[in-house]
Amino acid sequence: MKKNLLSSILIFVLSGCALLDMAQSAASGEVLARVNGVALTRADLNKRIALVQVSAWLASGGTLPNLDEDTFVNKWIDSELMAQAAAKANVTATRDEADADIARQLQDAKLNETDLLRQLSLLNLTRDEFAQYDQRALAVQKFIDANVLAGVSEVEKPARLLTWLIHERATAKIEKPTPSTPKSIGVYAGSIAPDFSVQSLQGGEQSLKSLKGKVVLVNFWATWCVPCREEMPAIQAVYDAHKDEGFVVMGIDERESPEEVTSYMHELDLHIPLYLDGDGKVARQYRVFGLPTSVFIGRDGVIREVVIGAMNLNSLDANVKKMLFQ
């Protein structure tokens, strides 16, 4: 969890992955999300999927990982926030830079221009469209390096980028319709939360499905995580205030021993329910790539929101109150 986080985040957001079984029946003008007034329509998504398929194909030498639609739209939102920030700061990349970058990617993947053109043709894309996509990604990378991560040590970069994204999401106007009937089980807002069972710190197991009918906060954390330590008092206070109203916390520690968690619990005077994810299975299931990560689940078992980074008392309390009375 502590290593290679920065590269994972940037590759995931800027390059993207392929979608599996994307619904083609919806109208192309359907708006899937808006970021500061910029709309992502179904048609936009179709084109972006094709572009990132080629990008992922280059990065992996031919292997295309799978991603569900909700995940992809969330990553598009992060990418759009970065692109808007780069444009506002007048950070750009040239076509020559994009062409050079594509040539480097081809060389690294041991592919050639003919291979690229063939792949683009299969997805009904032109070389110019892919160059424009790469040009935008390079501008975003330049902006992040110069304006977000400048002067930051390699160890601190993942946390700095996550903090920046959290701030941008909090201050941007983001509209993402939540379907009234979830299409499938998934790990993003609007999906049915996947069930799991974890070992309690006191012994015994707790499943998520047994808590249906309650508002649940699943909080992934670790004793070494500084932002986790900062938000724990707020989680404890909100739990104390609303536990009799149907609010439940599942504090899931990542890959640490019962002794470490017990010592931490006593140090911070915690009595929220704590659990152990010793092998990281639940974190992988929920695609957790940074700590703390908080998943808010409604009484119907549907994920309402996923928050990466520390939460403050006021926003956490307001969020829980809203869910309790929905």
Side-chain angles (χ1 to χ4, degrees):
M1 297 295 294
K2 300 180 188 179
K3 297 180 180 179
N4 300 322
L5 180 56
L6 178 63
S7 59
S8 297
I9 295 168
L10 285 174
I11 290 171
F12 202 43
V13 171
L14 297 178
S15 297
C17 299
L19 291 180
L20 181 65
D21 297 330
M22 183 192 70
Q24 297 290 345
S25 58
S28 62
E30 175 193 0
V31 175
L32 302 175
R34 293 181 189 273
V35 180
N36 294 323
V38 176
L40 171 66
T41 66
R42 176 69 61 182
D44 296 329
L45 184 64
N46 292 346
K47 175 62 70 68
R48 188 172 177 84
I49 289 166
L51 288 165
V52 297
Q53 279 183 316
V54 177
S55 183
W57 170 77
L58 277 174
S60 61
T63 301
L64 293 176
N66 297 320
L67 216 78
D68 61 47
E69 182 177 293
D70 281 341
T71 304
F72 196 95
V73 171
N74 273 279
K75 295 307 166 188
W76 174 85
I77 289 171
D78 288 340
S79 177
E80 182 62 27
L81 286 169
M82 291 180 177
Q84 289 183 15
K88 186 175 180 180
N90 295 317
V91 177
T92 62
T94 67
R95 175 60 181 265
D96 287 344
E97 287 175 314
D99 286 337
D101 183 59
I102 292 169
R104 177 194 57 76
Q105 292 180 66
L106 286 169
Q107 182 177 11
D108 290 346
K110 296 181 171 55
L111 298 167
N112 57 42
E113 189 73 19
T114 301
D115 296 321
L116 175 60
L117 293 175
R118 185 183 302 114
Q119 188 71 14
L120 290 169
S121 177
L122 288 172
L123 295 170
N124 296 314
L125 293 171
T126 67
R127 177 66 164 71
D128 188 60
E129 286 173 327
F130 185 64
Q132 290 176 17
Y133 170 80
D134 194 76
Q135 192 173 339
R136 189 184 195 216
L138 284 176
V140 168
Q141 184 70 66
K142 282 184 180 181
F143 171 80
I144 293 298
D145 289 343
N147 295 274
V148 180
L149 303 179
V152 179
S153 70
E154 289 301 317
V155 173
E156 296 173 321
K157 282 181 178 180
R160 177 64 62 86
L161 180 58
L162 282 174
T163 299
W164 183 84
L165 277 171
I166 291 164
H167 175 267
E168 291 300 299
R169 275 184 170 263
T171 56
K173 183 178 181 181
I174 299 173
E175 303 166 84
K176 185 172 180 288
T178 299
S180 57
T181 303
K183 292 182 291 186
S184 61
I185 295 173
V187 295
Y188 284 86
S191 300
I192 301 171
D195 186 36
F196 61 85
S197 293
V198 281
Q199 187 77 25
S200 168
L201 187 60
Q202 289 75 33
E205 286 196 348
Q206 175 68 60
S207 69
L208 178 63
K209 67 180 179 182
S210 68
L211 297 176
K212 192 168 183 179
K214 298 181 181 294
V215 170
V216 182
L217 167 60
V218 180
N219 178 255
F220 294 93
W221 65 282
T223 63
W224 51 263
C225 167
V226 174
C228 300
R229 178 181 288 267
E230 292 172 349
E231 77 171 0
M232 276 295 179
I235 294 176
Q236 183 65 69
V238 174
Y239 174 70
D240 289 340
H242 301 294
K243 62 183 178 181
D244 294 333
E245 300 167 359
F247 174 56
V248 177
V249 173
M250 296 186 74
I252 302 180
D253 174 80
E254 289 305 305
R255 300 174 181 270
E256 295 182 297
S257 69
E259 292 75 20
E260 288 175 296
V261 177
T262 299
S263 174
Y264 185 87
M265 179 185 70
H266 292 320
E267 179 188 350
L268 296 188
D269 191 25
L270 299 175
H271 46 273
I272 57 174
L274 298 179
Y275 302 90
L276 304 169
D277 187 22
D279 58 2
K281 181 179 179 180
V282 181
R284 291 193 300 273
Q285 182 182 12
Y286 274 71
R287 297 177 186 167
V288 174
F289 63 89
L291 297 178
T293 290
S294 297
V295 183
F296 291 88
I297 302 170
R299 296 182 190 274
D300 55 0
V302 175
I303 296 175
R304 296 291 190 269
E305 185 178 2
V306 179
V307 177
I308 302 171
M311 302 176 290
N312 63 50
L313 177 61
N314 291 337
S315 63
L316 175 56
D317 189 60
N319 204 7
V320 171
K321 283 179 179 176
K322 180 177 68 175
M323 292 177 65
L324 283 170
F325 293 101
Q326 279 180 338

